[in-house]
Amino acid sequence: MSRFVSNTFKKLISYKEYDLWTKIVNLRKRIKSPLALSFGSLGWKNGTEWLIENYVPSRSVGFIFGDSQDLKSFLVAQWAFNLATGEPFGDLRVNKGPVVIICAEGSNSFPKRIKAIENKYNTNVEDKIITINRPIAMLIQQEVEMLHDLLDELKNTFGESPKLLVIDTFSQCSAGIDENNAGDIARYINTCKEISEKHSITVLNIHHKNKEGKYRGSTALYGNVDFIMETKREKQNSSDAEEKISTKLSLTKSKDSSTNVSHMLDFSEKSLGIEDNFGNILTTLVLDKVTSVQKTANSSNNCAKDFIVSFLRDSDKEYVDQSDLNDAFKSKMPRLGIGTVKKNISFSCRELINEGKILEKKSGRNKAYSLTAL
């Protein structure tokens, strides 16, 4: 057995690593603990396993944010189809498997969206997309146990665990918690992580942005999850504006990969071939095109972010006005025009807010910033 294991691992790890692996296997036998333990750097070569290439890792917990018209749910319907059938998402590969959707805001539209996608690809998802047609209260034990039982039953039925659990939406399934309370958010995310770990499933929460264009809730949300994406509806200036509806998908946080990932998604309205009770043709949106958008690193923006954090840390004020940041950064970068300075400071502040590193306070048109107390 030892010889077989050694030969199998020979191409993957060095003999020194194999000796460490053997030592740790024996150590685990002696240490009796229900906790998941790791030792040293063993396993460092394990790469990220993707559910949706470059965006959604397997066996993880994350969020996708967007305004109400940013097409989040249409995108998630497309991803459910891709996973259920194995159809690539544009030029990105997927890890085929069943999908569970908690349609907490109503399920009437979801089957129509899936049917329109099936028509486009001439492929049926059969029984590989399962919808739960009511909210699941994720902090009530009885509700969570029902979800555990369902996932176990689906594994027994399909012979594999579902790959993705979508919670649509976070607010509907987090009833009774304070979104701005770090403790409440941590308990919610811990519940998602327990589900993810027990069933080897990715849990994706759909959440709305606030009026400032940021995610709603405590900064604990940003810090405790594995990945975060956002959608942003694009304005149309072309002659086909009525035919094409676009949103930009961007990865804004990933624990194990680069966030230099962004795609433009073009949707169009498709007829379902049926009518409502007044004879109106029913339609829905279907994804037509996925185009990669290469995000470029802007050295002045990166410099501005570092400058802002340093300036706020050294300031004796609780909040620093954006105008003061502009003036100080202009002094540091005299070759930059004032317009560029203002743009870099504004953009960098927005990124730092999304990263949960600074807070914003508004007074009329004036903005001020402070470091986040983590």
Side-chain angles (χ1 to χ4, degrees):
M1 179 65 180
S2 297
R3 178 178 296 177
F4 170 76
V5 173
S6 178
N7 290 336
T8 302
F9 277 24
K10 184 166 60 177
K11 295 182 180 180
L12 301 177
I13 62 176
S14 67
Y15 284 109
K16 184 176 182 180
E17 288 173 317
Y18 172 69
D19 290 340
L20 175 60
W21 178 82
T22 303
K23 179 180 178 181
I24 288 175
V25 167
N26 294 328
L27 186 61
R28 282 174 175 159
K29 290 179 180 179
R30 297 199 305 270
I31 299 176
K32 305 298 182 182
S33 173
L35 300 176
L37 303 178
S38 296
F39 297 87
S41 60
L42 195 69
W44 69 273
K45 291 183 179 179
N46 296 338
T48 299
E49 181 181 337
W50 293 106
L51 195 59
I52 298 170
E53 189 175 10
N54 294 337
Y55 278 107
V56 182
S58 297
R59 300 180 294 278
S60 59
V61 176
F63 275 74
I64 182 168
F65 296 99
D67 289 328
S68 58
Q69 300 299 316
D70 283 347
L71 310 181
K72 303 179 300 298
S73 294
F74 290 98
L75 169 60
V76 168
Q78 178 67 48
W79 277 350
F81 174 87
N82 293 130
L83 291 170
T85 62
E87 183 74 27
F89 175 63
D91 61 350
L92 303 179
R93 293 163 290 186
V94 302
N95 194 348
K96 183 179 179 181
V99 179
V100 179
I101 314 282
I102 301 177
C103 293
E105 293 189 338
S107 61
N108 289 338
S109 298
F110 188 79
K112 296 180 177 64
R113 294 169 184 171
I114 295 298
K115 182 59 180 174
I117 301 171
E118 288 179 334
N119 290 343
K120 174 181 172 62
Y121 290 91
N122 194 28
T123 302
N124 195 290
V125 301
E126 299 176 347
D127 56 359
K128 296 302 188 291
I129 299 178
I130 303 94
T131 56
I132 300 173
N133 301 317
R134 71 166 179 86
I136 299 293
M138 297 292 283
L139 293 185
I140 296 180
Q141 187 63 30
Q142 184 178 0
E143 295 271 284
V144 176
E145 287 299 326
M146 285 194 294
L147 185 55
H148 281 300
D149 291 343
L150 172 64
L151 293 173
D152 285 336
E153 286 293 326
L154 291 174
K155 180 180 180 180
N156 293 334
T157 301
F158 294 128
E160 63 174 330
S161 295
K163 295 291 180 66
L164 177 66
L165 171 66
V166 177
I167 299 177
D168 187 7
T169 60
F170 162 76
S171 61
Q172 290 291 327
C173 292
S174 61
I177 77 169
D178 180 357
E179 290 183 358
N180 296 307
N181 183 289
D184 285 356
I185 291 294
R187 289 201 307 276
Y188 178 93
I189 293 174
N190 284 339
T191 299
C192 292
K193 288 183 176 181
E194 289 171 4
I195 293 170
S196 175
E197 291 169 3
K198 180 178 179 180
H199 302 282
S200 297
I201 192 172
T202 293
V203 181
L204 175 60
N205 291 270
I206 299 179
H207 194 25
H208 297 296
K209 293 180 180 178
N210 59 21
K211 293 180 180 179
E212 285 74 38
K214 303 176 292 183
Y215 64 84
R216 292 198 329 238
S218 166
T219 54
L221 189 153
Y222 188 95
N224 289 344
V225 297
D226 301 308
F227 66 95
I228 291 178
M229 299 170 290
E230 70 172 5
T231 53
K232 185 176 181 181
R233 184 80 167 265
E234 294 290 308
K235 295 181 180 179
Q236 296 292 341
N237 297 316
S238 61
S239 58
D240 63 344
E242 294 183 358
E243 299 179 11
K244 186 174 70 172
I245 302 171
S246 301
T247 194
K248 185 178 181 182
L249 171 68
S250 299
L251 184 66
T252 60
K253 176 186 176 177
S254 180
K255 283 189 174 180
D256 298 316
S257 66
S258 169
T259 57
N260 190 32
V261 184
S262 186
H263 284 76
M264 189 64 66
L265 313 179
D266 294 334
F267 293 79
S268 63
E269 192 173 15
K270 303 292 184 183
S271 170
L272 289 165
I274 57 176
E275 300 176 350
D276 64 17
N277 60 316
F278 293 114
N280 301 308
I281 298 295
L282 293 179
T283 63
T284 190
L285 294 179
V286 176
L287 181 65
D288 282 332
K289 188 177 180 182
V290 180
T291 306
S292 176
V293 179
Q294 185 66 37
K295 291 197 271 188
T296 57
N298 186 308
S299 59
S300 59
N301 282 341
N302 291 336
C303 178
K305 289 174 67 174
D306 293 340
F307 169 81
I308 291 167
V309 171
S310 177
F311 194 88
L312 295 180
R313 183 184 296 118
D314 296 339
S315 176
D316 57 358
K317 297 180 180 178
E318 182 180 2
Y319 279 85
V320 175
D321 291 341
Q322 184 168 327
S323 59
D324 292 339
L325 290 173
N326 292 339
D327 293 341
F329 191 57
K330 174 62 177 173
S331 298
K332 180 180 176 64
M333 307 285 287
R335 293 185 179 183
L336 293 180
I338 187 61
T340 302
V341 166
K342 290 181 177 179
K343 181 178 179 180
N344 287 345
I345 291 295
S346 179
F347 178 82
S348 298
C349 284
R350 183 60 52 205
E351 283 201 333
L352 289 168
I353 290 169
N354 289 336
E355 293 169 7
K357 295 179 179 179
I358 68 172
L359 300 174
E360 180 183 76
K361 181 174 70 174
K362 288 185 176 181
S363 178
R365 294 185 177 182
N366 298 322
K367 298 178 181 179
Y369 302 95
S370 176
L371 285 179
T372 302
L374 295 177

